[in-house]
Amino acid sequence: YRDHPMDAAMLTIEAVRANTVPILERLPDSAWAKAATHSESGRYTAEDWLEIYAAHCHDHAEQINRVVTAWHAAGEPA
């Protein structure tokens, strides 16, 4: 990913988020009250998903920062 264009990556995130907002806005209150069983996480609600989704980009940004720091520490260009 080192040579992947940052603009393309950021536009992808923007497009996915822009597509998700209208979906969430159309969800009826009853959808937020429902729960399912996730194969790895167990009980899973729309609110659980939203909490994870909200942090997802931040988690990846932290991961990228760790990788770039490691590259610098190894004397490699970022």
Side-chain angles (χ1 to χ4, degrees), residues 31-48:
W32 293 97
K34 293 180 181 180
T37 302
H38 187 279
S39 61
E40 296 176 0
S41 306
R43 186 176 187 279
Y44 203 76
T45 65
E47 189 170 332
D48 293 328

Side-chain angles (χ1 to χ4, degrees), residues 18-34:
N19 188 56
T20 303
V21 169
I23 293 169
L24 293 174
E25 289 175 340
R26 288 193 312 268
L27 283 178
D29 289 342
S30 61
W32 293 97
K34 293 180 181 180

Side-chain angles (χ1 to χ4, degrees), residues 66-78:
R66 288 191 305 272
V67 169
V68 169
T69 299
W71 285 342
H72 287 298
E76 298 180 37

